[in-house]
Amino acid sequence: MAREYVDMSTPVIEMRNIVKKFGDFTANDNINLTVHKGEIHAILGENGAGKSTLMNQLYGLLKPTSGQILVNGKKIEMNNPRDAIAAGIGMVHQHFMLIQPFTVTENIVLGTEPTKGPALDMVTARKNVEEISRRYGLAIDPDARIEDISVGMQQRVEILKALYRGADILILDEPTSSLTPQEIEELIEIMRSLTKDGKSIIIITHKLKEIKAAADFCTIIRQGRYIDTVDVEKVSETELASMMVGRSVTFTVDKPEQQPGEVVLDVKALHCNDYRGVEIVKGLDLQVRRGEIVGIAGIDGNGQTELVEVITGLRKGTSGQICVNGADVFNKPPRFGFDHGVSSIPADRQKHGLILDFSIEDNLILQNYEEQPYSKNHIFNRDAIFTHATESIQNYDIRPQHSERRTAGTLSGGNQQKVIIAREVQNDKDLLIAVNPTRGLDVGAIEYVHKYIVEQRNKGKAVLLVSFELDEIMSLSDKIDVIYNGRIVASVPGKEATENQLGLLMAGGKADGK
């Protein structure tokens, strides 16, 4: 573990009695944080607990209302990110700050490009990027365009961007929220390698398993207040969860036995291409029945994203058949599918789930704003819309409370996800498609989301669950369909599935290991 590289005599970061207020709302209330050289330090808290706000002050994106920040024992005024970078601090945000059409090299050196006379020296820039990637063991293609590489590779680019600017202290905001299990393991190895080189890392997260796997120490924040700092080796996941949410948390899903009903979603011989025009779904068959949760288990890139996009009308299929409640929805627009019983929690909440500049109350009625009681004769009933939003915020624990008219873009990623879940569950359609529905959520919120998904199933709705979290697939699904190379290669009863069995099938093997 990284523990052997921690120098406990050298605090590289001290945040003392940090208070941050936004008007009457206190986001951080006298929080203290100490991080040492060579340490991986986790900041754990619920969605909206104030984790990102605290780190945004360390990186100069926000100024504390009161309190002190010390870097290597010296008090620093963090007026902007330039001050943080000058102090040796780099930050990788949850939603990456990369320019999609630019190359890896162009993104890493942006703003600090070497020159030869009046011209940019991109040959030297490329060599510098190759050198720093070799030094830290972060293998990347310096000539690849950001839009063509995986999320895991984009994260490497962000880390290299910070290291290129001389960062000795790295802040990683929800670093695993969009990664596959394999990419998460790679990231943990990268973090350990960096601490071995003398770097210090702060990770903002609520994933207990990853804290146990990677972190040396963990500071817990609840509702903006400091709770404790613990030695990760000496606490269990259950203890961490209880400290985070202030109550005991149940990790098991209570799901009564029931017989599935008639078929709601029927997919036959579906073919479709990816963004490059390459066939990625290759004659896929799938059925989901009333009162049933069907989980799709697979390694990212095997066609599950494209499958969902074709079902929901966001992508055209090349051939096949898709019926919902007997109605042909193949290659129909998203509104047609919605009107015929399809609701969905999309994989990308910011691109396909929300209009970030709209208020929470307006995002909650995006699909049914023309219906009563929200409007009549094309005139909005703002009182009804506000009441609906207030009830949704309360019922789905969207934080901060009393924020109906705040824009969705001002919420944390986890709370944005809750807005989508509240809307789609309340739409009460016959088919709910949930893609990574708990991505970015803390254990307390995950418990709520799982409860709502199971409630839909218990009400006789059909649920298609696509998730990269095998634990989630196994605990929720009545039936697990394994996708590999664009086809469903196996169907396993949920209560009989094992992680090893599913892992073999997801890698293209057989359940018996042959």
Side-chain angles (χ1 to χ4, degrees):
M1 287 188 65
R3 178 69 54 87
E4 59 188 289
Y5 307 112
V6 179
D7 181 357
M8 296 298 292
S9 66
T10 312
V12 292
I13 293 292
E14 291 178 85
M15 301 185 78
R16 299 176 178 172
N17 301 315
I18 297 296
V19 174
K20 180 60 184 176
K21 296 189 176 213
F22 298 96
D24 294 332
F25 175 68
T26 302
N28 293 151
D29 189 358
N30 284 295
I31 294 179
N32 293 287
L33 173 69
T34 302
V35 180
H36 297 86
K37 184 175 181 180
E39 178 181 325
I40 300 176
H41 195 114
I43 309 292
L44 175 65
E46 295 177 276
N47 302 120
K51 308 182 299 293
S52 294
T53 299
L54 183 68
M55 289 300 98
N56 283 339
Q57 292 168 87
L58 180 57
Y59 192 59
L61 290 168
L62 295 171
K63 289 197 70 173
T65 304
S66 62
Q68 294 182 330
I69 298 174
L70 286 79
V71 180
N72 294 314
K74 181 181 177 183
K75 184 180 175 183
I76 303 287
E77 291 288 338
M78 298 293 185
N79 295 307
N80 51 56
R82 286 191 299 273
D83 292 338
I85 292 168
I89 300 171
M91 186 168 184
V92 177
H93 300 272
Q94 182 178 358
H95 301 290
F96 303 146
M97 307 292 185
L98 299 172
I99 300 175
Q100 295 292 315
F102 280 19
T103 66
V104 166
T105 295
E106 289 166 343
N107 270 277
I108 290 173
V109 304
L110 187 64
T112 58
E113 302 92 335
T115 56
K116 185 180 287 185
L120 298 179
D121 185 0
M122 295 310 294
V123 173
T124 299
R126 188 182 186 281
K127 288 179 180 176
N128 292 343
V129 168
E130 285 185 315
E131 181 182 337
I132 197 168
S133 68
R134 277 195 302 269
R135 175 181 173 185
Y136 293 108
L138 292 166
I140 45 92
D141 177 358
D143 301 317
R145 295 191 183 278
I146 297 299
E147 60 195 0
D148 295 332
I149 63 177
S150 69
V151 173
M153 282 295 162
Q154 290 182 37
Q155 188 173 66
R156 290 188 181 200
V157 174
E158 284 280 25
I159 291 171
L160 283 168
K161 200 166 76 172
L163 295 172
Y164 185 82
R165 286 158 177 73
D168 290 316
I169 301 151
L170 279 173
I171 305 166
L172 307 182
D173 189 357
E174 299 288 358
T176 64
S177 63
S178 300
L179 302 186
T180 66
Q182 293 83 0
E183 289 171 332
I184 291 169
E185 290 179 10
E186 291 172 5
L187 176 64
I188 291 172
E189 288 304 313
I190 288 167
M191 289 193 292
R192 288 176 179 165
S193 176
L194 290 171
T195 57
K196 184 178 179 180
D197 197 65
K199 308 297 182 185
S200 304
I201 298 174
I202 303 172
I203 55 173
I204 307 170
T205 188
H206 46 250
K207 291 196 173 183
L208 306 177
K209 187 182 294 185
E210 287 149 29
I211 289 175
K212 289 292 291 180
D216 302 303
F217 296 93
C218 177
T219 292
I220 300 100
I221 300 172
R222 186 165 71 240
Q223 296 181 357
R225 294 184 177 88
Y226 174 85
I227 300 300
D228 200 0
T229 296
V230 297
D231 184 330
V232 170
E233 285 186 343
K234 297 178 180 178
V235 293
S236 67
E237 288 185 30
T238 302
E239 289 170 322
L240 286 171
S242 296
M243 284 188 282
M244 176 171 65
V245 302
R247 60 178 174 83
S248 61
V249 177
T250 302
F251 290 98
T252 57
V253 177
D254 183 16
K255 193 175 60 165
E257 290 283 340
Q258 67 181 33
Q259 283 296 114
E262 69 269 20
V263 174
V264 174
L265 173 66
D266 194 5
V267 180
K268 293 179 179 175
L270 181 65
H271 292 258
C272 79
N273 299 334
D274 65 10
Y275 70 95
R276 302 165 298 176
V278 176
E279 186 173 61
I280 192 164
V281 176
K282 306 170 182 179
L284 182 143
D285 296 316
L286 172 70
Q287 285 189 335
V288 188
R289 299 175 180 272
R290 289 190 179 277
E292 177 183 54
I293 299 173
V294 174
I296 301 290
I299 298 169
D300 192 17
N302 277 277
Q304 55 268 65
T305 298
E306 290 79 8
L307 167 65
V308 170
E309 289 178 349
V310 175
I311 294 172
T312 55
L314 294 175
R315 179 184 297 270
K316 297 288 187 182
T318 53
S319 66
Q321 181 180 356
I322 303 174
C323 292
V324 176
N325 288 325
D328 178 13
V329 301
F330 180 67
N331 284 354
K332 298 293 196 302
R335 184 76 209 190
F336 185 89
F338 178 81
D339 289 341
H340 285 80
V342 181
S343 64
S344 67
I345 300 166
D348 190 327
R349 56 180 166 250
Q350 295 200 343
K351 188 181 292 184
H352 297 135
L354 298 166
I355 300 177
L356 298 178
D357 292 334
F358 278 20
S359 66
I360 295 169
E361 63 180 5
D362 286 345
N363 270 282
L364 285 165
I365 59 162
L366 281 181
Q367 295 113 320
N368 45 18
Y369 61 91
E370 291 183 316
E371 301 172 5
Q372 292 192 29
Y374 309 124
S375 69
K376 186 177 181 180
N377 298 325
H378 307 292
I379 298 173
F380 283 138
N381 181 346
R382 277 292 167 191
D383 288 340
I385 294 170
F386 182 82
T387 299
H388 173 66
T390 302
E391 292 173 353
S392 298
I393 286 170
Q394 180 66 36
N395 293 339
Y396 289 83
D397 195 32
I398 299 165
R399 301 180 186 181
Q401 303 283 359
H402 313 300
S403 56
E404 297 84 354
R405 295 198 167 109
R406 288 185 60 182
T407 61
T410 64
L411 294 177
S412 67
N415 280 295
Q416 289 176 1
Q417 190 78 343
K418 289 181 186 179
V419 172
I420 296 168
I421 290 164
R423 182 185 67 219
E424 299 303 325
V425 168
Q426 291 176 114
N427 280 336
D428 199 33
K429 297 296 182 178
D430 289 331
L431 172 65
L432 173 64
I433 301 173
V435 185
N436 293 318
T438 57
R439 174 180 287 173
L441 299 186
D442 58 70
V443 291
I446 289 170
E447 191 179 32
Y448 282 119
V449 172
H450 286 176
K451 180 187 77 170
Y452 288 122
I453 288 174
V454 171
E455 276 183 6
Q456 293 295 293
R457 172 250 198 199
N458 294 347
K459 290 177 181 177
K461 311 295 184 183
V463 180
L464 179 63
L465 171 67
V466 180
S467 177
F468 296 133
E469 302 284 351
L470 264 187
D471 290 346
E472 182 166 67
I473 289 283
M474 292 169 64
S475 63
L476 286 177
S477 302
D478 297 296
K479 182 179 74 169
I480 300 172
D481 283 355
V482 180
I483 190 170
Y484 175 74
N485 197 25
R487 295 184 180 91
I488 300 299
V489 295
S491 289
V492 183
K495 60 186 177 182
E496 297 176 12
T498 66
E499 190 168 334
N500 184 57
Q501 173 195 32
L502 293 176
L504 286 168
L505 291 167
M506 288 162 59
K510 297 181 186 284
D512 58 8
K514 296 179 181 179

